[in-house]
Amino acid sequence: MMTLITINRVYYLIGFVVMLLVVMTLRDRANPKRFTTALFWFLFGGIFLFGDLMVQELGKSLAYRIIGGGVIVIALLAGFGLVGKGHYKMSTEEERVASSNRLKNWLFLPALMIPVVTVLGTLFLKGVSIGGVFLLDQKQLTLAALCVACVAAILTGWWLTKGTPLHAVRQSRRLVDTIGWAVILPQMLAMLGGVFVVANTGDSVQKVVSLFVNPDSRFMLVVIYCVGMALFTMIMGNAFAAFPVLSAGIALPFLINVHHGNPAPLLAIGMYAGYCGTLMTPMAANFNIVPAALLELKDKYQVIKIQIPTALTLLVVNVFLMYFLVFR
C-alpha cells in the first residue's frame, strides 16, 4: 500500500529547511564565518535531501564513501571553530513584552502540541488508511507522527503570533546558530553507536569482563554493568548508543544467562543507569549544552555541575535496585 507521509519525505522536508538556512547564512554578511558555516549546514542538509538520489545514481558503496567524507568535513569544521553566528532581525524588548502580555500562557501551546500530537498519532494512526493509502509511515510511525506534530505546532504558532513562514525560518536559523554544531551531535553519536554494534564491540566487552571478574560474582557484575552504562554513555553522549554494547557484553551473557535475571526490569534499570551518565557529560549536548546556550549562561557546564550529585545518587540506587529486585 502507498503511504502519504513516509520517512523519506520527512527527511526531504528536513533537508529543504536546512537548505533555506544555508541560503540565509550565505546572505548574512555580518557572520565572519558565513561560508564555512553555510558549508557545514549544506553538508548536513545534503545528506537528508540528496542521500537517496546519490545511492540510486552512484551505488551504495560510492555514495556511502561520499557521505562519510562529508561527515568528516562536518567534524573538522566544528572542531576548528569554523561554525559561527551572524546577525538576526529581532523584535524590540517592548514588542516582546507586549506580545507576551497578549498571548499569556497560550505561548506554550505550540510546544505542548509536539509531544501530544506525536503520542496521539503513534497510538491511533497505526494501520489507518484512506482509499488504500496509509496516512503515516507504518515502519517509522513515531517519527512520521513527530513530523506532523512539528508542522502542526508551526502552523499554530503562526496563527497565535500572526507571524509568517519566513519569520519562523529566520528564528530557526537564530536558534540553530546559537546552539551551533552541538545540535547535530545526538545524530552523530547514534551513528557511532551503530558502528560499535556492527563491529561486535559487545563480544569484546564480554571477553574483557571474563578476564577480570569472576562470573559467579553477581554483585560485581551488576556494579560493572551499571557503572559501565553510565561511563560509556558519558563517552557516547547517548544511553541508546551505549545500551546495545553493554547489554550484549555483560547483561545478556552473565546477568541473564548465568544468574537468571528477569530481562525486562534488568535492562530497564540498566538504561536508567545510562541516563545517569547523560546527566554528567557535555557529549549529551541536547540535554546539557543546548539549555546553557539557550539560557545564555556564563558557564556552559553549569547544568552538568548541578546535576552531578543527583546523577551519582541515582546510579548507586540503580545498582542496589538491580541487585535486589531482578534476580529469581
Side-chain angles (χ1 to χ4, degrees):
M1 292 178 65
M2 296 181 62
T3 303
L4 181 61
I5 301 177
T6 65
I7 192 63
N8 283 346
R9 288 171 181 167
V10 172
Y11 292 157
Y12 296 151
L13 178 60
I14 294 172
F16 175 73
V17 173
V18 173
M19 290 305 172
L20 291 178
L21 304 185
V22 170
V23 173
M24 289 182 174
T25 299
L26 287 173
R27 297 178 61 185
D28 185 2
R29 297 183 181 276
N31 185 348
K33 302 175 182 177
R34 61 189 176 113
F35 293 111
T36 51
T37 302
L39 177 60
F40 179 91
W41 293 114
F42 176 81
L43 292 172
F44 178 70
I47 297 173
F48 290 96
L49 205 54
F50 307 119
D52 286 344
L53 180 62
M54 291 171 62
V55 170
Q56 293 171 6
E57 297 295 328
L58 303 176
K60 286 186 177 181
S61 180
L62 181 56
Y64 291 168
R65 283 183 171 85
I66 293 174
I67 292 173
V71 171
I72 292 174
V73 174
I74 285 175
L76 291 173
L77 290 170
F80 284 102
L82 298 176
V83 181
K85 295 193 294 184
H87 173 74
Y88 317 98
K89 185 178 180 181
M90 300 287 293
S91 57
T92 64
E93 180 69 21
E94 293 76 12
E95 290 173 335
R96 290 196 291 272
V97 170
S99 178
S100 175
N101 291 334
R102 177 175 62 86
L103 296 173
K104 299 186 186 306
N105 289 334
W106 288 104
L107 277 170
F108 298 102
L109 180 60
L112 292 174
M113 286 183 66
I114 295 176
V116 171
V117 174
T118 301
V119 171
L120 292 178
T122 303
L123 293 177
F124 298 110
L125 293 181
K126 184 176 179 59
V128 175
S129 62
I130 299 177
V133 178
F134 284 120
L135 297 180
L136 300 180
D137 192 324
Q138 298 300 293
K139 294 182 179 180
Q140 300 285 349
L141 186 60
T142 301
L143 291 178
L146 176 61
C147 178
V148 172
C150 291
V151 173
I154 290 174
L155 294 174
T156 303
W158 293 345
W159 175 70
L160 284 173
T161 63
K162 312 303 180 185
T164 64
L166 185 59
H167 182 70
V169 175
R170 285 173 177 164
Q171 291 303 308
S172 296
R173 185 174 78 94
R174 181 182 65 83
L175 288 175
V176 164
D177 284 354
T178 299
I179 299 169
W181 59 266
V183 75
I184 70 170
L185 187 58
Q187 184 181 14
M188 295 295 183
L189 293 172
M191 291 168 56
L192 183 59
V195 171
F196 281 139
V197 172
V198 173
N200 295 319
T201 309
D203 294 339
S204 301
V205 172
Q206 179 181 347
K207 293 176 182 177
V208 171
V209 172
S210 300
L211 290 174
F212 296 100
V213 179
N214 183 351
D216 295 327
S217 178
R218 180 188 298 174
F219 182 74
M220 283 304 301
L221 289 169
V222 168
V223 171
I224 291 173
Y225 179 48
C226 291
V227 174
M229 275 293 300
L231 291 176
F232 206 70
T233 298
M234 291 176 69
I235 296 171
M236 300 289 292
N238 192 318
F240 290 100
F243 180 75
V245 176
L246 272 297
S247 295
I250 302 175
L252 182 59
F254 297 111
L255 296 176
I256 295 176
N257 290 341
V258 175
H259 293 280
H260 309 293
N262 189 337
L266 189 149
L267 295 175
I269 294 173
M271 182 65 83
Y272 294 152
Y275 292 155
C276 295
T278 301
L279 296 175
M280 298 187 288
T281 176
M283 295 297 287
N286 52 328
F287 291 104
N288 301 327
I289 302 301
V290 170
L294 293 178
L295 294 173
E296 299 181 350
L297 300 179
K298 293 182 179 180
D299 183 358
K300 64 179 180 180
Y301 300 117
Q302 184 175 348
V303 173
I304 297 174
K305 293 175 181 177
I306 292 174
Q307 292 174 164
I308 286 177
T310 301
L312 292 176
T313 302
L314 289 175
L315 183 58
V316 172
V317 171
N318 284 327
V319 168
F320 285 100
L321 281 177
M322 182 177 294
Y323 183 74
F324 287 110
L325 293 183
V326 305
F327 296 99
R328 293 187 281 271

